[in-house]
Amino acid sequence: MEYAKDEIFNIRYNSKKGTIECGTKHKNKIIQFLKQSKWMSVFIILGIAFSIINCILIVDFFKLLTKM
């Protein structure tokens, strides 16, 4: 039971505040990484945007081919 509480659900007791805190470390690591490396987050956002635009253009191209 202690393993599930500590590792899976990530429930911790904060002795400074006197409260129980729960949350995931993965979200904090991702947010911390994006805050530290602004250029990497810009490149990731641009990559996702260009991928979406590319998919839209491919679909439009095939629609144009089927009209002929």
Side-chain angles (χ1 to χ4, degrees):
M1 188 64 178
E2 289 296 317
Y3 177 77
K5 178 183 71 83
D6 294 339
E7 297 299 323
I8 296 174
F9 298 116
N10 197 16
I11 298 173
R12 305 275 186 232
Y13 180 74
N14 189 347
S15 59
K16 292 180 183 177
K17 293 181 182 178
T19 59
I20 296 175
E21 297 177 346
C22 60
T24 59
K25 293 179 182 178
H26 300 296
K27 289 181 185 177
N28 293 337
K29 286 183 182 179
I30 293 171
I31 291 171
Q32 235 177 6
F33 174 74
L34 291 177
K35 284 183 180 179
Q36 288 177 354
S37 57
K38 298 288 183 182
W39 286 106
M40 186 60 77
S41 61
V42 168
F43 287 134
I44 290 171
I45 291 170
L46 284 175
I48 292 170
F50 286 145
S51 297
I52 292 170
I53 291 170
N54 189 25
C55 291
I56 291 170
L57 290 174
I58 289 171
V59 168
D60 287 341
F61 177 71
F62 280 115
K63 283 182 184 178
L64 183 68
L65 284 178
T66 57
K67 285 184 182 179
M68 291 183 168

